[in-house]
Amino acid sequence: MRILLVAQFYPPDVGGEERHVHGLAAELARRGHHVAVATQTLTGGPSVTDEGGVRVHRLRSTMMRLPVHSSARRPHAPPFADPGLRAHLRDVVRAEQPQVIHGHNWAYYSAIAAARQTGTPLVLTLHDYGHVCPTHRLMRPDGSLCAGPALRACLPCAASHYGRLKGVAVTVAHRLSQPARDRGLAHILAVSHAVARDNRLAEGPTPWSVLPNFVPARLLSEPGQRPAQPRDPELPDGDFLLFVGELHEQKGVGTLLDAYRRIPADRRPPLVCLGRPGPDPFELPDRVRVLGPWPHERVMEAVRACTAAVVPSRWPDPCPTTVLEAMAAGAPLVATRTGGIPDMVVDGETGLLVEPDDPAALAQALTALLAAPDRARSLGRAGRERVTAFTDRAVVERLTAVYQDLL
């Protein structure tokens, strides 16, 4: 098949969505498909490069030149067709002649016109709640969950998130673009059942299915396997707990630190936090090490070496790759029962789940794992077995079946 992936960002700009699209392109190309990617260029002018058998078109957008919806480094795609991207994508579609166009989050708006002109099926992957929520998060400024989008509630929430002018513009554009969105899609893929439910896909006219995020099959460690190389010198000797992610209240960092203080002192190993600092200041207990963001390969070394990995998200995390990476490494896992996490973790079998914002329950689960290393290793082995269904090869097999059904 000839496939065009449309995404707002692509490596070397790196984040969860970027890694997903990059891994998807690589696996589709490995299977012999003709794959092209259309994305924004963050520096310089338009270009076309061959990257590992994938032709990458880096395009100039209109909105990236305006301050209202852009930052200097990451000019996010708007919730409507960007005039510059739309024009460039028509040229890309003429050049690549794809049989399927596969857009990701709001970048797909700019591909609707080209898909309609050529009669090419347009598939959308929803990585978050952007179908119904202008901020993508379904979280209010006070940290509470949003019961459902409404214009009166969305305007102040978006203004708090983006700033007043940008928040109003994004909210109004998001609301006005919905009719075009529903007419332009052949199929919607949600990365978890929570994303499908909270984006209200069952209420819309477009066929949809759940297709999760994935990890490369090469990440799977053998059960009980530990790194052969010496441990990273910045990691503690012996046991340690590991958190990977932005140091943000929505990621549950405050809950994690509160829970860590509740673990009995004689059973409390060091806690290592890897990730970008967030806006929230935290008072760190003794034996907590914040080491900042690390390259991905180095992060995975830490995951393989840890005694237990913790994913304490407060927000409805759509399908966090950190969960899959911990399972792939065979690391015992404690996570919260929110968003797409229950799709991946079977409580008591492949990891332990607790409710969000419950430091006592989180502390109890971590203490139980630390006190029962055989049980922890058993959970790690079961998690590693389960994650085989969440590898690039397994997920892309299901994706190509969706493509073929549309054709």
Side-chain angles (χ1 to χ4, degrees), residues 20-321:
H20 177 92
V21 177
H22 183 265
L24 174 58
E27 178 61 17
L28 286 168
R30 189 190 70 82
R31 290 168 174 260
H33 300 292
H34 177 95
V35 185
V37 173
T39 187
Q40 295 182 120
T41 179
L42 301 184
T43 57
S47 66
V48 182
T49 56
D50 188 283
E51 302 179 17
V54 175
R55 190 150 49 230
V56 180
H57 299 258
R58 301 186 186 274
L59 311 173
R60 292 285 291 178
S61 68
T62 299
M63 295 303 294
M64 70 188 304
R65 306 172 195 177
L66 304 177
V68 67
H69 197 68
S70 298
S71 67
R73 196 182 70 82
R74 286 175 67 87
H76 293 267
F80 54 84
D82 178 281
L85 279 182
R86 180 174 58 191
H88 286 309
L89 280 170
R90 285 174 173 162
D91 294 337
V92 171
V93 168
R94 280 196 291 268
E96 298 292 345
Q97 298 185 344
Q99 296 168 279
V100 175
I101 302 173
H102 186 167
H104 295 263
N105 278 1
W106 286 352
Y108 87 95
Y109 280 111
S110 298
I112 291 176
R116 284 178 179 169
Q117 275 190 341
T118 58
T120 308
L122 177 60
V123 178
L124 166 65
T125 288
L126 285 172
H127 295 269
D128 53 37
Y129 306 100
H131 224 45
V132 296
C133 176
T135 69
H136 298 266
R137 305 174 305 162
L138 282 181
M139 291 284 287
R140 299 195 183 281
D142 63 3
S144 62
L145 291 174
C146 178
L151 185 60
R152 183 176 296 178
C154 290
L155 282 170
C157 187
S160 174
H161 182 70
Y162 294 114
R164 185 175 179 182
L165 177 61
K166 181 175 174 181
V168 171
V170 170
T171 302
V172 172
H174 185 266
R175 180 61 61 94
L176 293 176
S177 65
Q178 289 182 354
R181 172 194 76 193
D182 292 333
R183 290 195 301 267
L185 291 170
H187 196 92
I188 299 175
L189 299 167
V191 296
S192 65
H193 287 89
V195 167
R197 179 192 66 239
D198 292 339
N199 279 300
R200 303 180 178 181
L201 298 188
E203 301 174 17
T206 307
W208 61 274
S209 54
V210 173
L211 193 74
N213 288 337
F214 53 81
V215 291
R218 60 178 172 78
L219 288 185
L220 269 65
S221 301
E222 291 300 322
Q225 178 179 330
R226 289 302 189 205
Q229 66 271 28
R231 180 174 292 194
D232 192 295
E234 289 198 62
L235 295 175
D237 295 327
D239 292 339
F240 68 95
L241 304 175
L242 180 66
F243 167 84
V244 178
E246 185 179 7
L247 304 180
H248 195 290
E249 188 58 47
Q250 288 190 9
K251 292 290 187 179
V253 173
T255 303
L256 173 58
L257 296 177
D258 191 352
Y260 183 72
R261 294 183 183 97
R262 297 169 186 244
I263 299 174
D266 60 340
R267 297 182 181 177
R268 189 189 305 153
L271 168 62
V272 174
C273 299
L274 300 177
R276 294 191 302 268
D280 309 301
F282 296 105
E283 183 179 343
L284 301 179
D286 291 340
R287 309 193 75 195
V288 175
R289 302 186 185 183
V290 177
L291 301 181
W294 281 9
H296 187 253
E297 290 301 319
R298 195 178 176 196
V299 169
M300 289 307 301
E301 290 179 21
V303 176
R304 296 185 190 100
C306 74
T307 306
V310 193
V311 183
S313 295
R314 295 181 66 234
W315 82 299
D317 220 335
C319 188
T321 307

Side-chain angles (χ1 to χ4, degrees), residues 349-361:
E349 296 182 20
T350 66
L352 300 181
L353 295 180
V354 300
E355 295 303 318
D357 281 329
D358 191 340

Side-chain angles (χ1 to χ4, degrees), residues 3-20:
I3 303 158
L4 174 64
L5 305 178
V6 180
Q8 59 179 353
F9 305 123
Y10 194 74
D13 191 73
V14 177
E17 186 178 326
E18 293 80 30
R19 284 206 303 269
H20 177 92

